[in-house]
Amino acid sequence: MNRLSDRINAMAPSATLAMSQKSSELRAQGVDVINLAVGEPDFFTPDHIKTAAKQAVDDNFSFYSPVPGYLSLRQAVCNKLRRENGLEYAPEEIVVGNGAKHELCNVVMALVNPGDEVIIPTPCWVSYVQMVNLTGGKSVLLSATMEQHFKVTAEQLEAAITDKTRLMIICSPSNPTGAIYNHDELQAIATVLARHPQVMVIADEIYEHINYVGKHYSLAQFQEIRDQVVIVNGVSKSYAMTGYRIGYIAAPLWVAKAVTKLQGQYTSGVSSIAQKAAEAAYNGPQECVEQMRQAFERRRNLIVGLLQQIPGIELNMPDGAFYAFPKVTAYFGKHYGDTEIKDDNDLALYLLNEAHVATVAGSAFCCPGYIRLSYATSDDNLRAAATRIAATLQKLS
């Protein structure tokens, strides 16, 4: 008998983690799989951050930490926001959680009631819709095409807002497309949101530093909507600290208090050791961030150049993050033996089984007809993956 709750039965598993798991299973069988499914830097955490973590152990940071995070870390976040973004926040407006995903879900849970509408530009990260589903809210998906560089317009947003709209979630730089909203595009969106003060917005900025086109802009910088914006960010991508599980929100005080209240009941404060490491990341030298960004930019240029040489693949140049998001509909309806490629899910599975390259179907990001490839891996892996993909797609007829 299935005794699980309806909310769990209705929830889809994470497609990115599921594909990564499948590739791990093949590897365990001795298959040489190149995993381009997971969004994780392949760099090691910088030494000065690791040193801080070790020091925290020696200094006996082994007790429960405050629910919203150590004051010293929250102050370090405030200093970062002031220094890099020109934004003024008090430590009381910062809440630290178990990764940006945790804090994003906390905000959705704190703001959305059953029946509330949440506007989500697509393509979008796999977990947004599932988080909204947990609350009983309704996701309103706004489609942004490749022709508009996967960015929704202010006009699309205005047309989507109703008296039931409670929240918008926007990700820039974007997972899965690498799209970045520029200053003028964000200003236009801010102007719309200012006309609807009942609508809050989550600005998911976890890829902030992985930017190839210049300055990062945050919706929180527009004073007319400052009290409507919740920034979500963390150390995972910029500092190669995915396993440390440290994310944060910068939010109006009433939202921060609500998230602290929620967090206090089911996770309490996050790892004391990881918090001290994150503090060192924000307070320490930043050259490591730029070095990794440069490596990602080189890899972007490499993989995009290689993919553009494959007949039938269409893609634009990502402006940030570390994903390529090619259109693959040219292969639909083709066959290899008994295998028919009906959609992007079939193609991703075909590439895994035949090319031994793990990707993620665009349908997981609410954008059928595409696949996502992470280039957060070595140049050699990218060259090998592109060669395998080209040869395997050529088999289809």
Side-chain angles (χ1 to χ4, degrees):
M1 179 181 294
N2 187 339
R3 298 180 182 273
L4 296 176
S5 68
D6 292 342
R7 71 176 64 87
I8 295 300
N9 285 326
M11 180 183 288
S14 169
T16 53
L17 297 181
M19 196 54 135
S20 189
Q21 176 63 31
K22 287 181 181 179
S23 68
S24 296
E25 291 169 359
L26 283 176
R27 277 179 173 169
Q29 298 168 21
V31 178
D32 177 23
V33 176
I34 300 174
N35 188 352
L36 305 185
V38 66
E40 179 174 48
D42 62 325
F43 301 108
F44 293 125
T45 304
D47 286 343
H48 70 279
I49 299 173
K50 292 191 290 187
T51 297
K54 296 171 187 174
Q55 189 63 49
V57 174
D58 291 340
D59 290 343
N60 294 308
F61 279 89
S62 54
F63 301 95
Y64 287 133
S65 62
V67 172
Y70 286 126
L71 177 59
S72 56
L73 175 54
R74 288 182 285 136
Q75 186 61 63
V77 170
C78 291
N79 294 342
K80 173 260 184 258
L81 291 168
R82 183 182 306 111
R83 179 179 70 244
E84 296 184 358
N85 309 103
L87 299 172
E88 291 293 335
Y89 283 89
E92 294 75 25
E93 296 174 300
I94 309 299
V95 183
V96 178
N98 293 286
K101 178 186 283 190
H102 178 212
E103 287 305 83
L104 203 154
C105 191
N106 280 349
V107 176
V108 174
M109 294 290 287
L111 295 180
V112 179
N113 283 316
D116 285 347
E117 294 178 352
V118 179
I119 294 174
I120 304 175
T122 65
C124 65
W125 181 49
V126 296
S127 294
Y128 292 157
V129 172
Q130 299 304 319
M131 290 176 182
V132 173
N133 288 347
L134 272 177
T135 70
K138 175 186 176 183
S139 295
V140 177
L141 305 181
L142 295 189
S143 176
T145 65
M146 179 183 287
E147 289 69 31
Q148 62 193 95
H149 302 287
F150 299 116
K151 294 183 283 187
V152 297
T153 64
E155 291 76 18
Q156 283 181 282
L157 175 59
E158 182 70 71
I161 293 175
T162 72
D163 58 0
K164 294 183 179 180
T165 305
R166 177 60 173 149
L167 182 65
M168 177 188 185
I169 305 175
I170 187 169
C171 183
S172 179
S174 163
N175 175 5
T177 68
I180 294 179
Y181 287 82
N182 63 35
H183 177 277
D184 292 347
E185 290 163 342
L186 289 178
Q187 176 66 79
I189 288 172
T191 299
V192 172
L193 291 170
R195 290 197 291 267
H196 302 277
Q198 80 282 6
V199 179
M200 298 293 292
V201 57
I202 294 174
D204 183 348
E205 301 181 4
I206 191 66
Y207 294 95
E208 171 188 4
H209 292 115
I210 307 173
N211 180 325
Y212 316 122
V213 294
K215 181 175 171 58
H216 170 78
Y217 295 98
S218 172
L219 269 177
Q221 74 188 65
F222 300 100
Q223 285 302 308
E224 61 267 35
I225 60 166
R226 166 68 165 72
D227 292 337
Q228 292 170 249
V229 179
V230 178
I231 294 173
V232 176
N233 208 330
V235 297
S236 292
K237 315 298 185 180
S238 299
Y239 298 93
M241 295 174 66
T242 50
Y244 285 74
R245 307 312 305 134
I246 295 291
Y248 69 83
I249 61 167
L253 184 59
W254 63 275
V255 176
K257 286 182 175 180
V259 168
T260 300
K261 178 181 178 182
L262 179 62
Q263 202 160 285
Q265 287 292 2
Y266 75 104
T267 58
S268 300
V270 304
S271 164
S272 55
I273 307 303
Q275 285 192 64
K276 300 309 288 185
E279 190 178 325
Y282 286 126
N283 288 339
Q286 301 298 304
E287 290 82 3
C288 56
V289 177
E290 175 59 16
Q291 289 167 0
M292 287 187 277
R293 189 205 67 80
Q294 290 179 10
F296 287 132
E297 184 171 13
R298 185 190 70 246
R299 294 169 177 184
R300 175 200 65 164
N301 296 340
L302 173 62
I303 192 63
V304 169
L306 292 170
L307 291 174
Q308 286 176 335
Q309 297 174 27
I310 301 175
I313 279 185
E314 300 177 54
L315 78 162
N316 57 7
M317 182 67 80
D319 289 335
F322 37 64
Y323 306 107
F325 197 65
K327 187 176 183 179
V328 293
T329 53
Y331 297 100
F332 293 179
K334 295 191 174 186
H335 297 76
Y336 175 65
D338 295 332
T339 300
E340 179 184 1
I341 307 300
K342 298 183 292 294
D343 54 28
D344 50 293
N345 289 294
D346 287 343
L347 187 66
L349 196 58
Y350 171 69
L351 290 176
L352 178 62
N353 292 330
E354 295 296 329
H356 301 148
V357 176
T359 63
V360 185
S363 295
F365 307 98
C366 302
C367 192
Y370 294 77
I371 58 172
R372 191 196 76 173
L373 304 88
S374 167
Y375 50 86
T377 188
S378 70
D379 294 24
D380 288 344
N381 275 345
L382 294 176
R383 291 190 186 94
T387 299
R388 293 185 190 184
I389 290 170
T392 304
L393 292 177
Q394 195 173 19
K395 296 178 183 178
L396 294 169
S397 59

